[in-house]
Amino acid sequence: MTRPIRARIDLSALKHNLAVVRGCAPQSRALAVIKANAYGHGMLRVAGALAGAEGFAVLNLSEGVALREAGFKQTILLLEGFFSADELPALAEYRLASVIHHAEQMEMLEASGLPVKLDVFLKINSGMNRLGFKPEVFPSALQRLQSSRSAGKITLMTHFSTADALKGASEAEGVAAQLACFDGLAAGLALPRSLANSAAILRYPETHGDWVRPGIMLYGSSPFGEASAESLGLRPAMTLESGIIAVQALRAGEAVGYGATFRAASTMRVGIVACGYADGYPRHAPTGTPVLVNGVSTRTLGRVSMDMLCVDLTALPDAGIGSPVTLWGDGLPVEEVAAAAGTISYELLCALAPRVPVVEI
Ligand SMILES: *Cc1c(COP(=O)(O)O)cnc(C)c1O
């Protein structure tokens, strides 16, 4: 028997979630976002499951090369583009498309003398103020790109900062201002467009354009604080599961774990689970974070340590050493665990540690 922790990756859930994308955006091609090792699910594994997508989006040249070498023929987009001119020959050789978001990249491209034209996603800063050309410099950037000998197909792109915010919430703006900015610049240009992340795919059909860029929804997690993945028709692709490796009987007043932050008010049974922050479980998850034991909902107790965490078995007399534990996934949405830990599902999924064995189902 080995340490019982494992991450189960459900390939049929990935395919199902891509079908949900199709249902939302039937006219658009899908650029499946598989950066960050496919949000912790395994880049090549996910690309294989989502081979029906027309494209993949990653960050690094090495990831694009790995996808090509694995035989994927789709569009592959580098979401931050190239970082220095020395990457350009490989982008050309492996036919990788590049975001271009600042003038220095434009200069590198012009100076490259590439033997082939690179497909380019020209990024507009429509208000997020992270990457992209500001509206006032966009027309000249586009003109410059169109007259460059090294630029091939050009797609116009932007990214939303508040597509996930609840409509009507005071600080939330949805996508209206950014969309108006983008549409104003793109009007009259016969160029393909790419705007929508998962939240926009699900909530704002007017943003779908030619290429949608689903990330989190492909993994079966909701991008919205107030809408569950299940209510959106999504199925979790990752289930993190482990088992109980020890049981402690606490008397009133006894504590469990580092810092003795949880102290029993009365007699209780505590299960020790083989999962800790070195596996990717959030250390900041407080006492009370939801967890399933034998499929039944209970709570964590005390601090999460590197290799273990503690759960309340007081109401689960049948649970003991060997009982299965679900940290998140099937039966326990990762968003709920993330919310308890003060973060978002993206961070938990991406943080799955390399030491956790992965099994595909
Ligand atoms: C990560 C990313 C996405 C996917 O976002 P989700 O919220 O996970 O759907 C889309 N577009 C860009 C530019 C990204 O960086």
Side-chain angles (χ1 to χ4, degrees), residues 31-35 39 57 59 77 79-80 99 123 130-131 157-160 164 194-201 212-219 223 346:
L31 205 48
V33 179
I34 55 171
K35 62 190 178 189
Y39 294 43
L59 282 186
L77 176 66
L79 283 168
E80 294 175 352
V99 164
K123 191 156 190 183
R130 209 173 51 172
L131 298 184
M157 174 180 176
T158 197
H159 191 56
F160 297 119
D164 58 326
S194 178
L195 304 86
N197 59 1
S198 297
I201 291 166
V212 291
R213 303 191 306 270
I216 195 72
M217 70 183 290
L218 292 173
Y219 307 102
Y346 297 68

Side-chain angles (χ1 to χ4, degrees), residues 18 22 29-32 34 43-58 63-78 91 94-98 119 121 153 211:
L18 178 59
R22 302 294 191 198
R29 287 173 284 175
L31 205 48
I34 55 171
M43 183 184 75
L44 290 175
R45 170 184 302 118
V46 170
L50 300 181
E54 291 82 0
F56 297 110
V58 292
E63 295 165 323
V65 170
L67 285 164
R68 281 283 179 256
E69 289 187 336
F72 293 100
K73 305 277 190 268
Q74 291 93 328
T75 293
I76 297 175
L77 176 66
L78 303 185
L91 262 75
Y94 289 92
R95 291 170 294 102
L96 306 176
S98 179
D119 289 344
F121 281 57
K153 260 186 294 174
W211 286 98

Side-chain angles (χ1 to χ4, degrees), residues 152-177:
K153 260 186 294 174
I154 298 172
T155 301
L156 302 181
M157 174 180 176
T158 197
H159 191 56
F160 297 119
S161 57
T162 53
D164 58 326
L166 191 58
K167 270 192 230 184
S170 55
E171 81 283 17
E173 299 165 43
V175 298

Side-chain angles (χ1 to χ4, degrees), residues 22-360:
R22 302 294 191 198
C24 292
Q27 313 295 337
S28 308
R29 287 173 284 175
L31 205 48
V33 179
I34 55 171
K35 62 190 178 189
N37 198 27
Y39 294 43
H41 295 66
M43 183 184 75
L44 290 175
R45 170 184 302 118
V46 170
L50 300 181
E54 291 82 0
F56 297 110
V58 292
L59 282 186
N60 296 301
L61 171 60
S62 59
E63 295 165 323
V65 170
L67 285 164
R68 281 283 179 256
E69 289 187 336
F72 293 100
K73 305 277 190 268
Q74 291 93 328
T75 293
I76 297 175
L77 176 66
L78 303 185
L79 283 168
E80 294 175 352
F82 47 92
F83 301 92
S84 60
D86 60 6
E87 294 185 307
L88 282 167
L91 262 75
E93 182 184 346
Y94 289 92
R95 291 170 294 102
L96 306 176
S98 179
V99 164
I100 291 210
H101 60 83
H102 65 54
E104 285 75 3
Q105 285 175 319
M106 199 86 86
E107 278 150 28
M108 288 187 251
L109 185 66
E110 283 171 342
S112 67
L114 285 178
V116 295
K117 290 176 183 289
L118 277 195
D119 289 344
V120 166
F121 281 57
L122 182 62
K123 191 156 190 183
I124 298 171
N125 174 9
S126 59
M128 188 170 190
N129 291 313
R130 209 173 51 172
L131 298 184
F133 293 90
K134 287 247 190 192
E136 54 274 25
V137 298
F138 163 75
S140 63
L142 176 61
Q143 212 163 41
R144 193 168 162 190
L145 200 55
Q146 283 174 323
S147 54
S148 157
R149 277 177 298 120
S150 300
K153 260 186 294 174
I154 298 172
T155 301
L156 302 181
M157 174 180 176
T158 197
H159 191 56
F160 297 119
S161 57
T162 53
D164 58 326
L166 191 58
K167 270 192 230 184
S170 55
E171 81 283 17
E173 299 165 43
V175 298
Q178 283 190 262
L179 181 61
C181 170
F182 182 90
D183 282 348
L185 296 172
L189 300 171
L191 295 173
R193 304 173 185 194
S194 178
L195 304 86
N197 59 1
S198 297
I201 291 166
L202 289 160
R203 192 173 269 170
Y204 299 107
E206 66 273 29
T207 66
H208 289 170
D210 300 273
W211 286 98
V212 291
R213 303 191 306 270
I216 195 72
M217 70 183 290
L218 292 173
Y219 307 102
S221 174
S222 169
F224 306 120
E226 76 291 351
S228 71
E230 193 178 5
S231 73
L232 300 168
L234 301 170
R235 282 172 41 197
M238 180 196 294
T239 298
L240 180 61
E241 49 191 28
S242 189
I244 305 280
I245 58 167
V247 175
Q248 301 295 338
L250 297 194
R251 284 186 291 259
E254 289 184 328
V256 64
Y258 284 117
T261 61
F262 178 82
R263 211 167 273 284
S266 52
T267 303
M268 62 190 299
R269 284 179 83 233
V270 176
I272 311 302
V273 180
C275 177
Y277 61 79
D279 298 300
Y281 194 88
R283 185 178 170 280
H284 287 102
T287 290
T289 300
V291 58
L292 305 182
V293 177
N294 282 343
V296 179
S297 183
T298 180
R299 57 176 182 147
T300 66
L301 299 173
R303 283 209 187 130
V304 173
S305 45
M306 186 183 287
D307 310 313
M308 287 172 261
L309 56 80
C310 309
V311 297
D312 190 350
L313 299 182
T314 310
L316 294 166
D318 297 336
I321 291 176
S323 291
V325 175
T326 298
L327 287 314
W328 63 67
D330 271 335
L332 178 56
V334 63
E335 299 91 287
E336 290 180 18
V337 179
T343 185
I344 55 174
S345 60
Y346 297 68
E347 189 180 7
L348 269 50
L349 297 173
C350 290
L352 183 76
R355 81 177 193 182
V356 176
V358 173
V359 292
E360 291 175 9

